[in-house]
Amino acid sequence: MKRTAIRYSFLIMLILPLFAHGQASMKMSAGQVDAARWIETRFARGKVPPFSFVYGDKSSKSLLPGWNYSMKRLPGDDPDVVKYLYTYTERPSGLKVECFVTGFPAFDAVEWVLHFTNTGKSDSRVLEQVKVVDLDMQAPAAGDFTLYYADGNHISKEDFHPRTTVLSTTEPFRMAPEGGRSSQGDFLPFFNLTAPSGKEGVVVGIGWTGMWYADLTKTGDRGATLVSGMKTMRLYLHPDESIRTPSISLMFWNGDDRMAGHNRFRRFVLAHHTRKVDGQMQKYPLCSGFNYRDPAPCTEYSCLTADWAIAMVKRYKQFELVPEVFWLDAGWHTGAADYKNGKSWANTTGNWTVDTTRFPDGLKPVADAVHETGAKFMVWFEPERVIKGTQWAVEHPDWMLDLPSEPDGTYLLFDLGNKEAREWLCRYIGDLIEQNGIDYYRQDFNMEPDKYWAAHDEAGRTGMKEIRHVEGLYAFWDYLLERFPGLLIDNCASGGRRLDLETTSRSAPLWRSDYYHYDDPDGYQGHTYGLNFFLPIHGTGILQTDEYSFRSSISSALIYNWKITEPGVSFLDMQERVKEYQEVRDYYYEDYYPLTGCEDLTRDNIWLAYQLNRPSDGTGIVVAFRRAANPDGSITVRLSGLDAAKRYDVRNRDTGESVVKTGAELASGFELTLAEPKSSLLLQYKPAE
């Protein structure tokens, strides 16, 4: 397809109205447009851009028309991406605003991030109310705007639960995380705003691994507004000082219903916000551990030894259960094994040296044993949470943030905003990875940083510590990804409490919720069901080998934590579960359709079912669960994404039975049947020969 003739069905909503008028607005109407031309001509001098701020008590809407302006197209090696830099500079004081804009024509998507720099010779005036997106939208017809969003992580059965609300004209619907981690609490920083027709809208992604916010309000009969930025920011900049803001992504869609938007966004994430190695999108691995969790009073892997770890690797090989990645979780570091004195992995973070009593030659012999099986080796770290009295706390007290209000507290926060500290951390962790033969890096974060940031903000510079810490996190991860070109990062923060557009671009959550520890398959089903609306790559663990439990945990990534040394288990069952997973795993990277609604998913008396469809070849799967208290042996579902005229062979993987139906028949209603409560089924379909 020629670049000059690309069809951008909804990009006209994105670029033309966004940058063409005297106010930042958009119309929800279809059209065709050359993305580069519209960005260049509509984000022009004198036009009010789709962001705003207050500087020295004056609104940017009145200030920017009088500031120096420039536009530059930035080079890039991806033909499907266009990049621009728009710069506004105040004279004579010299505040410079740089807006880096990226367009993705194939996905009708645009993103931007702001950088503020004081180019003057004295402190800037106060910068506040920075709205990275400040946008008015107009629908073709009057009616309600519906917002589809999801819970963040509570470490509960409700994690990532899908939610719906209708925008109000009386007050904004506000979304924000809790505690300083971007997906902790009631809101995930991804949502789908649907126009009154229900057939067009915008999926929004926010990139900020801290305290973001988003306000959405209905205006008049056909309008809605979206504003988003940092939740708390009011500061000035010293000479030559720069900061960045959250990033914002808008991806416009039209289709039969809102799932057209969700599935386009999933594809967009895979194409442009997923780790690439040698130019290829990376699928995250099927993992296992070393007989996960040591017996009490040991915790996690706090009593693991090199000999036992290597023996487990050999045991997995013997049983033909070698995973793609062997995952060494918490407890390998110095001090974690001192259970006689009440120590564990959790209260010794900050001792980031390998426990040489248990691993006399470091972790390299374990890595070598893993590599001999053809697998990769992933190791857990938690560098930001430092326990008082540990190695780092004693050796580098100037790099730690304490809470003056809690002098007897246990935790310190490693100051990623301190350049010297961050550069040291990069080298230190990088060297540990290199010296110990580690292939993949797992980062945990089991504390709430917001109160530490607030306690250390300078007077008149509210939000600066948060900005510097978040910038430092990205710089640290980018360093690791550049130093180790094949590295994958597993993003954990008490489970999935740091999921946002920026972390998704660098990592994926292989352990999406610490609710796993409750061993509740129904909860895992709901987590998969809700998170799949927005993110295609995520995983969790599985403890049991029965079909119901196993299928409750499967998604695009998985860790099996089976105790292969204990009686009462069958490695043949384990092999069968892994075989099934390998058959269906790739479908989790394809189009997703919920089949049983989005009401309360935590109940034990419901059916829960979903479909994954592969448009390229017409194949797919249906996964369904009849929960323990559900009285109904069957349910009728309607499949999506199929060719109405084609015939499909639908096979029950458990019974081997199959039936041939047309796409129209499957879309109008297909009965799923399970004779027993607390049971599951897996259907696979393909075009009939």
Side-chain angles (χ1 to χ4, degrees), residues 577-615:
R577 298 292 86 77
V578 171
K579 178 183 176 183
E580 177 177 294
Y581 180 69
Q582 291 170 337
E583 288 179 9
V584 303
R585 170 191 190 176
D586 285 352
Y587 286 107
Y588 285 83
Y589 289 86
E590 301 292 337
D591 285 357
Y592 169 70
Y593 297 98
L595 299 178
T596 48
C598 294
E599 61 278 0
D600 186 357
L601 304 180
T602 66
R603 294 172 295 155
D604 65 357
N605 63 348
I606 62 171
W607 275 77
L608 183 143
Y610 59 85
Q611 172 194 2
L612 292 153
N613 182 63
R614 181 181 289 153

Side-chain angles (χ1 to χ4, degrees), residues 106-145:
F107 289 95
D108 301 343
V110 66
E111 298 174 359
W112 62 89
V113 61
L114 305 179
H115 290 246
F116 291 88
T117 303
N118 180 7
T119 66
K121 298 185 181 302
S122 59
D123 289 345
S124 73
R125 295 192 290 276
V126 172
L127 175 66
E128 59 185 326
Q129 299 179 46
V130 177
K131 300 172 182 176
V132 181
V133 58
D134 187 351
L135 183 64
D136 297 324
M137 295 167 277
Q138 294 292 317
D144 290 330
F145 284 81

